[in-house]
Amino acid sequence: MQPAIIHLFIVVPALTLLIAGACFFPTGRKPWNWLFEVLILFSVVAGRWPVLLAGRLPNPDESQIIAGAATLWRHPEFWKWVDGPTVGPLGYYSIWLGKLAGFGFGYEGAHVIAAVFFAVSIVALFRFLRNQFAELPARVSVLPIVVFGSLDLFWDVVQFGNETTPLFLLSVGMALAFPPKGHPGGHHARLFAAGVALGAVPFAKLQVAPMAVFVGATAVIAALLRDDKPRKLGRASALIAGALTVPSITGAYLTVYHLWPHFMISYLRNNITYVRYGYLEPLQLLKGFIPFLGQTEGILHLFLGTLIRILLLALESA
């Protein structure tokens, strides 16, 4: 029997039923939630197995990132030996995980890392929702994303792309930044880790930085509105200190290796030029953003409603 037939008629239905049934595991017990998270990872990896060992896919971004990661393995100074265009250094260094896991610098390792990062992002989203809602609605909410990520084998979804690492960091940061309602204070170490993840996002992909700023600012507001006044400044400070960690390390690195001009030109200016000349003038882009969302019925309300809901969730946990 052909592998494609096996995947379509056996693997796809089995994984769909498995993850759907897992939504109804007993609630209120951590082991069942851990098992649900393990099944998310298993579903994504098993669902993508036909393409995990595939070679080069049509989008050239993955090939560029793999080649850059291999170069950095011998010459690790980013912005000196590798110019990432719109992708920051963390997107390239992430491919090192495949090398360390024994895959080498190849497409197979990149596809596996992309699958794992995607699965962990879903787990982080589930934990964020579980912290704010009941367990059953949280599980059901991530079900469509798990099914999509497991069974959609379109090449631009399964490859290691420009957004793989920043969305992974953003998801992890969001899950850590908002503790469960029953434990509103959280630990300073947890908030510091959340800040590190969010502060690292601009160095994975600069264009995702506004999303990280929004999540981080909302988390700081929530921390400052805690009833426990003696500790609320400490919690907010831990989050901010974490957010400044990666930028501070990067600044020191650029200073020591005299790479500030390379950083300013190849990363900051090139990103702005990419938007300005590749698509629209920045002011035109800003003016056209809201009308663009309103072109499709419901998208504008979904976008604005999501932002408002995230802010309210943060404030409710205060």
Side-chain angles (χ1 to χ4, degrees):
M1 186 178 295
Q2 295 294 326
I5 300 299
I6 296 176
H7 181 265
L8 181 61
F9 293 101
I10 298 179
V11 176
V12 168
L15 289 178
T16 303
L17 292 175
L18 177 65
I19 196 64
C23 291
F24 300 96
F25 283 165
T27 59
R29 298 181 181 178
K30 287 185 177 180
W32 288 107
N33 284 322
W34 293 339
L35 179 59
F36 181 76
E37 294 170 357
V38 170
L39 287 178
I40 290 176
L41 177 61
F42 171 77
S43 297
V44 173
V45 175
R48 293 187 178 188
W49 73 266
V51 296
L52 288 182
L53 301 181
R56 183 175 63 86
L57 298 174
N59 194 323
D61 291 344
E62 184 179 55
S63 299
Q64 175 184 308
I65 294 173
I66 294 173
T71 301
L72 291 170
W73 187 261
R74 293 181 176 273
H75 307 284
E77 299 91 349
F78 199 85
W79 290 305
K80 179 179 181 180
W81 299 100
V82 173
D83 180 5
T86 63
V87 185
L90 295 181
Y92 287 82
Y93 292 132
S94 297
I95 298 295
W96 285 14
L97 297 174
K99 172 70 172 179
L100 296 174
F103 289 101
F105 292 112
Y107 296 102
E108 296 84 0
H111 298 163
V112 171
I113 296 171
V116 173
F117 274 22
F118 185 85
V120 174
S121 298
I122 300 176
V123 170
L125 174 62
F126 166 65
R127 291 197 173 191
F128 169 77
L129 294 173
R130 190 187 68 191
N131 289 344
Q132 310 300 330
F133 303 102
E135 291 179 8
L136 180 58
R139 292 173 184 171
V140 174
S141 296
V142 301
L143 176 60
I145 307 176
V146 176
V147 174
F148 169 79
S150 303
L151 308 180
D152 188 347
L153 302 183
F154 180 58
W155 52 266
D156 214 12
V157 174
V158 301
Q159 72 169 11
F160 190 97
N162 296 345
E163 294 78 19
T164 302
T165 301
L167 292 182
F168 164 78
L169 293 171
L170 185 66
S171 301
V172 171
M174 185 172 66
L176 293 173
F178 300 98
K181 285 187 175 182
H183 305 279
H187 297 288
H188 290 76
R190 172 187 178 135
L191 293 175
F192 180 83
V196 171
L198 295 174
V201 168
F203 303 98
K205 189 174 180 67
L206 189 62
Q207 294 161 340
V208 187
M211 301 173 67
V213 172
F214 175 80
V215 174
T218 304
V220 170
I221 293 173
L224 291 175
L225 292 179
R226 307 297 186 193
D227 292 332
D228 189 2
K229 294 182 179 180
R231 294 186 178 182
K232 65 180 182 180
L233 288 178
R235 289 190 289 265
S237 299
L239 186 62
I240 294 173
L244 294 176
T245 299
V246 175
S248 299
I249 294 174
T250 304
Y253 158 75
L254 294 173
T255 301
V256 170
Y257 287 92
H258 308 288
L259 293 175
W260 276 106
H262 300 74
F263 170 77
M264 298 297 295
I265 294 174
S266 70
Y267 199 49
L268 294 185
R269 194 178 74 178
N270 283 358
N271 267 279
I272 296 173
T273 303
Y274 175 80
V275 174
R276 182 175 181 181
Y277 295 106
Y279 294 97
L280 295 171
E281 293 284 346
L283 185 58
Q284 292 176 335
L285 186 66
L286 181 62
K287 289 181 177 179
F289 182 61
I290 297 299
F292 168 77
L293 290 175
Q295 288 178 357
T296 303
E297 183 178 359
I299 292 184
L300 177 61
H301 302 90
L302 175 63
F303 175 75
L304 296 178
T306 301
L307 296 185
I308 295 172
R309 182 54 182 160
I310 292 177
L311 179 59
L312 290 177
L313 285 173
L315 299 180
E316 286 174 3
S317 63

